[in-house]
Amino acid sequence: EKGGYDYFMLKEIAEQPKAVADTLLGRIDAAGSLTLDEVRISASELREVDKVVIVACGTAFHAGLIAKYAIEHWTRIPCEVELASEFRYRDPILGARSLVIAISQSGETMDTLMALRHAREQGSKVLAICNTNGSTIPRESDAVLYTHAGPEVAVASTKAFLTQLVACYLVALYLGQVRGTKWGDEISAVIRDLSHISGEVERVLETMEPVRALARSLASKDTVLFLGRHVGYPVALEGALKLKELAYMHAEGFAAGELKHGPIALIEEDLPVVVVVPSPRGRSVLHDKIVSNIQEIRARGARTIVIAEEGDEAVVPYADHLIRIPATPTLLQPLVATVPLQVFACELATARGNEVDQPRNLAKSVTVE
Ligand code: M6R
């Protein structure tokens, strides 16, 4: 049932192009409009929404952090993202015009379930983004948008994450469509790019051998740091989480702009630092800033592992290892930038002799608070 792969995780990483395509299937029509009939919250209710609040745990929380950038940029509705386990304990401000989005692969995560119950008690509408048909979270929500990743067996979430991102983009674009905000050339271009993105994920998968070799060469390290900006920041957090749970290594993700506010003190000779570089097109200010960050850490001895778009030549002089990803619109970059980090963590776990599909101390679905 592992389809010839040694681990479910490897199989699930390889299934990502299909999972992404399946999650888009039937949701974008020929004219480039979105049809999310499953979202049984009326267009008039969606037009009234004055705040979006996303609740989730772990990897699903990282998808939520990325969704915030998309929702605020495309719809101009304020969006908060909160760890489900923290949410109800701080008496959050919610009302009938708040749209709460609960993201969960399993649909059984108790923290997320309790957060959505709390939201519904406050009169908010809850939309679940979920991978498991008929599970508790979608059953208790007002509406559900299913991700079509298929069953995810490995404890470390991979294909579910990519499909959660796709679902979040669809919701953000749909909200924009329904409300007529910023509905113009940019959005049409993003929809076009989304429909090609599974091929780009496939291309990334075809170039992973050097990433595996690099991972094996780092098997005796104690710490790996991850840096990113904008949507690359949650990608850095996700890369660090994967490494913790699979390789049992100390790994931390930082917003690159925070380096000089503390973390740069951690940099020492030969410390591996993975940097997710934003596209040099579009938000080029951020690109230039991160290139300076790479220079700063390298000057202090860091071994820089740079994930950058094809054609980005500015990073070349400062990259000890360069991992290329296809050019995408900035907001979609996490769909391609996360893949090398999954492969990296999986290979490091194998090199360290760890159980890839069943990391110690972890369960696939966490049904206690
Ligand atoms: O089933 P869920 O998406 O609600 O699970 C949430 C987290 O427990 C999950 O993403 C966890 O962080 C994964 N093991 C990460 O790889």
Side-chain angles (χ1 to χ4, degrees):
E1 50 192 291
K2 291 180 193 146
Y5 292 91
D6 289 343
Y7 308 107
F8 280 107
M9 186 180 178
L10 287 172
K11 174 171 177 264
E12 290 162 6
I13 287 174
E15 285 170 347
Q16 292 184 112
K18 180 172 187 311
V20 163
D22 287 351
T23 301
L24 287 165
L25 199 70
R27 288 168 170 168
I28 300 176
D29 68 18
S33 299
L34 296 164
T35 42
L36 300 188
D37 297 338
E38 319 104 289
V39 176
R40 298 192 191 284
I41 301 177
S42 69
S44 60
E45 277 172 306
L46 290 177
R47 276 193 283 274
E48 290 300 305
V49 167
D50 64 0
K51 170 165 128 175
V52 176
V53 181
I54 301 177
V55 290
C57 305
T59 289
F61 172 71
H62 297 153
L65 289 176
I66 293 165
K68 174 186 166 82
Y69 289 85
I71 290 172
E72 292 196 337
H73 182 64
W74 290 332
T75 72
R76 310 311 296 156
I77 308 171
C79 175
E80 295 169 17
V81 192
E82 186 143 358
L83 290 167
S85 55
E86 288 292 320
F87 185 63
R88 69 191 172 118
Y89 299 102
R90 69 171 175 90
D91 194 14
I93 302 166
L94 292 168
R97 296 176 66 190
S98 318
L99 174 68
V100 173
I101 303 179
I103 309 176
S104 174
Q105 187 285 130
S106 62
E108 301 296 346
T109 299
M110 187 55 75
D111 287 310
T112 310
L113 180 61
M114 297 312 271
L116 86 82
R117 282 187 185 157
H118 183 79
R120 293 196 75 198
E121 278 161 19
Q122 313 301 307
S124 305
K125 287 269 185 257
V126 177
L127 168 66
I129 290 179
C130 185
N131 195 46
T132 311
N133 254 300
S135 54
T136 312
I137 287 172
R139 272 195 282 117
E140 292 205 15
S141 299
D142 296 284
V144 53
L145 186 66
Y146 280 110
T147 50
H148 297 306
E152 192 181 63
V153 177
V155 166
S157 187
T158 54
K159 61 176 179 171
F161 177 68
L162 258 61
T163 61
Q164 283 160 356
L165 290 178
V166 169
C168 288
Y169 295 134
L170 289 174
V171 168
L173 293 165
Y174 186 62
L175 277 171
Q177 176 174 284
V178 164
R179 299 164 65 100
T181 32
K182 276 219 162 185
W183 195 258
D185 293 348
E186 182 194 337
I187 305 274
S188 313
V190 167
I191 291 184
R192 258 198 318 279
D193 288 324
L194 252 187
S195 47
H196 299 138
I197 204 83
S198 96
E200 306 293 359
V201 176
E202 185 76 61
R203 281 216 293 137
V204 177
L205 286 169
E206 283 160 9
T207 59
M208 286 297 96
E209 201 38 54
V211 175
R212 287 190 199 99
L214 171 64
R216 288 192 293 271
S217 76
L218 298 175
S220 60
K221 292 283 179 191
D222 300 317
T223 297
V224 180
L225 302 184
F226 295 78
L227 300 178
R229 289 193 86 114
H230 193 263
V231 289
Y233 168 43
V235 171
L237 296 177
E238 174 62 6
L241 177 61
K242 283 286 155 290
L243 209 59
K244 285 176 211 171
E245 64 179 342
L246 292 161
Y248 316 150
M249 289 167 86
H250 172 230
E252 272 191 81
F254 299 106
E258 279 292 291
L259 261 183
K260 54 187 154 316
H261 300 288
I264 200 164
L266 292 169
I267 306 294
E268 55 187 23
E269 201 53 41
D270 214 32
L271 177 78
V273 184
V274 179
V275 188
V276 184
V277 179
S279 168
R281 302 159 297 114
R283 257 161 251 278
S284 57
V285 191
L286 287 185
H287 173 268
D288 297 352
K289 289 200 159 134
I290 218 161
V291 174
S292 326
N293 292 142
I294 302 172
Q295 283 176 261
E296 283 157 9
I297 57 171
R298 197 156 183 268
R300 289 165 179 78
R303 166 129 53 127
T304 56
I305 302 165
V306 175
I307 301 183
E309 230 176 55
E310 284 158 0
D312 179 351
E313 296 307 319
V315 296
V316 174
Y318 315 110
D320 294 313
H321 306 275
L322 185 54
I323 301 169
R324 288 297 191 186
I325 51 174
T328 55
T330 304
L331 282 165
L332 304 188
Q333 197 200 51
L335 288 169
V336 289
T338 308
V339 176
L341 302 181
Q342 299 167 339
V343 172
F344 182 71
C346 183
E347 190 71 22
L348 256 165
T350 314
R352 287 162 73 94
N354 297 352
E355 174 52 62
V356 171
D357 288 334
Q358 287 286 338
R360 67 187 183 198
N361 309 339
L362 291 171
K364 181 63 182 163
S365 79
V366 183
T367 52
V368 289
E369 266 191 283

